[in-house]
Amino acid sequence: MPKMVRRAGSDALTRRAGHESAADRSGSSRDHHIGALFEAVLTRGPLSRRDAARITGLSAASVTKLVRPMIEHGYLVENTREAGVPGRPQIPLQVDAARHYAIGIKLMDGEIVGVVADLHGEVQSSHRMRYPDTSPTGVADAIEAMTATLLERSPVERERLLGIGIGLGGHINGAAGVVVESPFMDWHNVPLQDVIAQRMQLPVVIENDVNTLALAEQWFGAGSAFNSFALVTIGAGVGCALVLDGKLWRGVSGAAGEFGHMIVDSNGPVCHCGKRGCLEAVVSDSAIAAAMSHSAGRKISKVSQVVAEAHAGDEDAQRAFTQAGVALGRAIAALLNLLNPPLLILSGEGIAASDLFIDALHAELKHDSFSSTAADCRVIVRPLPDEVWARGAAATMLRHGVMHSLSRLTDQVSA
Ligand SMILES: [Zn+2]
């Protein structure tokens, strides 16, 4: 696929040469302000203009100017039922949930979960299906069938449907629309965004799946009250997404957050990435099963068996989880030392067994962190099912589409 390789490569070169991406170019200060205002009302609303000004740091006059076209174009509505004292009306603003919808897809190896979500992140319909063919064409077939089912169950006016957001594991260059590396799909430099957009004749965005989950948490979940937070997921692998000063941090090519490949034990097991002692090679489901197999001297292939035996009091099984908790605590301490975030959300299917490792994690975290970085950070363990990940993919599409539309509205705002 030479064309695909060239595309990803030229994108990286352009960025290295210091040119702005399309997203950067559109980022005038007014675009930035209207986007920030919209996000403030979305995540904290209903919100008075005065509170919106306080949260965004914009002047009252700027808020009034920017709100007007957003109301005219149906993005914001005035919630008159929650108006304040007569004579001093502070009519709260809120986002009109029905202004836009998006389809969100969590793409897994052989299985996809899809949702239709509105602008409040409310899921209108959801569906889960298996698919046999994990080639890009096979995935396009599956997404086409999924979209048809979702829209059948929850009819949405075509003009209100912004498009399809797709989240999947691996190194995803969302700005270029390319899956750079997806180990579980065995894809390299696949232009998935174009493949699906051509098939569906709808706008499409693609993003690393942990990043989509972070966007869902930022807009609709535990992160909505925080300007910065880290999200770490554990299970089959280890994922991480970073929201810093209100923005998802993707890095120069979308590879930021490869926390799972932080080396925590240079004598540890070999990781699938080829290096030795990566966090993922120590704390993933298969690593925990392998650690117990080694210490117990018998073959254990599934982590669920380790969980069951640990709960039944088996010391080898309990030790396998304690060791994973220590490694995770050590790595999270490094993350907190580096970023000093106020919130860390721990999720992923691996947290179902968090009772077996959370104490070891906290003890190591306290021990390894610098000064007050551990005390400054609230660590919450949050189960987020696949539908929430898919909702995050929808949120990614909603954000992309809405920010684009809002930037066009700023033409109507006098400077
Ligand atoms: Zn690795």
Side-chain angles (χ1 to χ4, degrees):
M1 294 182 280
K3 184 170 168 255
M4 302 163 189
V5 173
R6 206 161 48 237
R7 200 188 141 130
S10 66
D11 179 72
L13 282 175
T14 310
R15 283 154 176 270
R16 271 200 295 276
H19 294 290
E20 292 172 320
S21 69
D24 294 335
R25 273 197 305 277
S26 69
S28 77
S29 67
R30 242 180 299 150
D31 291 353
H32 174 73
H33 291 159
I34 201 167
L37 186 56
F38 177 83
E39 286 198 320
V41 177
L42 179 71
T43 56
R44 313 275 185 97
L47 209 60
S48 70
R49 286 168 175 78
R50 189 169 51 204
D51 287 339
R54 183 178 51 77
I55 290 169
T56 57
L58 294 168
S59 69
S62 294
V63 169
T64 302
K65 260 186 209 173
L66 292 168
V67 160
R68 198 174 301 130
M70 286 203 274
I71 290 177
E72 278 168 16
H73 289 265
Y75 288 94
L76 301 184
V77 289
E78 290 184 310
N79 187 335
T80 46
R81 274 188 308 170
E82 289 192 30
V85 184
R88 288 174 55 206
Q90 273 290 324
I91 302 172
L93 299 163
Q94 64 185 48
V95 167
D96 182 1
R99 180 66 179 85
H100 283 304
Y101 297 85
I103 289 169
I105 305 274
K106 176 172 164 64
L107 183 58
M108 295 168 283
D109 181 16
E111 189 173 29
I112 58 175
V113 174
V115 300
V116 176
D118 68 17
L119 254 185
H120 283 185
E122 294 292 330
V123 171
Q124 309 295 308
S125 64
S126 67
H127 184 52
R128 176 185 285 265
M129 59 181 260
R130 297 202 65 80
Y131 64 99
D133 175 3
T134 58
S135 71
T137 312
V139 165
D141 292 342
I143 289 176
E144 189 174 6
M146 169 63 82
T147 301
T149 303
L150 289 171
L151 293 180
E152 215 169 86
R153 292 181 182 181
S154 173
V156 171
E157 287 172 50
R158 185 80 174 190
E159 68 203 41
R160 292 190 176 235
L161 185 65
L162 279 177
I164 303 173
I166 302 169
L168 73 163
H171 177 182
I172 315 299
N173 187 334
V178 173
V179 178
V180 181
E181 289 288 340
S182 174
F184 73 98
M185 302 292 275
D186 197 20
W187 287 0
H188 312 279
N189 291 316
V190 171
L192 185 67
Q193 185 180 34
D194 282 354
V195 170
I196 306 301
Q198 278 171 20
R199 172 73 72 91
M200 302 304 301
Q201 295 297 304
L202 278 169
V204 171
V205 294
I206 66 170
E207 184 61 81
N208 170 273
D209 58 355
V210 184
N211 283 350
T212 67
L213 187 63
L215 276 174
E217 286 295 274
Q218 187 190 10
W219 269 20
F220 312 119
S224 65
F226 294 83
N227 220 19
S228 301
F229 66 92
L231 167 68
V232 171
T233 60
I234 54 171
V238 174
C240 176
L242 306 168
V243 173
L244 304 175
D245 280 341
K247 277 190 74 171
L248 182 68
W249 182 259
R250 293 182 172 87
V252 74
S253 72
E258 283 301 340
F259 182 58
H261 300 285
M262 177 186 285
I263 292 170
V264 291
D265 178 3
S266 53
N267 298 314
V270 174
C271 179
H272 65 84
C273 76
K275 288 188 273 293
R276 186 175 282 281
C278 293
L279 180 63
E280 189 161 303
V282 179
V283 309
S284 66
D285 290 347
S286 58
I288 290 169
M292 183 176 170
S293 301
H294 185 255
S295 62
R298 57 196 162 92
K299 179 72 187 155
I300 289 152
S301 54
K302 291 204 161 163
V303 73
S304 53
Q305 192 183 339
V306 191
V307 174
E309 295 197 25
H311 282 148
D314 182 280
E315 287 182 4
D316 289 316
Q318 289 172 345
R319 198 178 310 111
F321 274 104
T322 304
Q323 284 167 350
V326 168
L328 199 54
R330 187 172 298 157
I332 289 175
L335 189 65
L336 301 195
N337 289 350
L338 194 63
L339 300 171
N340 190 203
L343 173 70
L344 183 132
I345 302 166
L346 187 61
S347 192
E349 68 273 23
I351 61 159
S354 66
D355 60 307
L356 293 168
F357 64 79
I358 200 75
D359 289 346
L361 186 159
H362 277 295
E364 190 68 20
L365 180 57
K366 200 171 165 196
H367 180 265
D368 286 8
S369 58
F370 175 74
S371 186
S372 65
T373 57
D376 291 343
C377 185
R378 210 175 135 210
V379 176
I380 57 171
V381 178
R382 224 166 112 75
L384 297 165
D386 290 338
E387 284 71 20
V388 179
W389 293 62
R391 186 173 74 156
T396 307
M397 182 67 236
L398 288 167
R399 169 183 282 205
H400 178 84
V402 167
M403 292 303 160
H404 181 71
S405 305
L406 290 179
S407 71
R408 285 187 306 193
L409 288 188
T410 57
D411 298 341
Q412 303 173 18
V413 182
S414 54

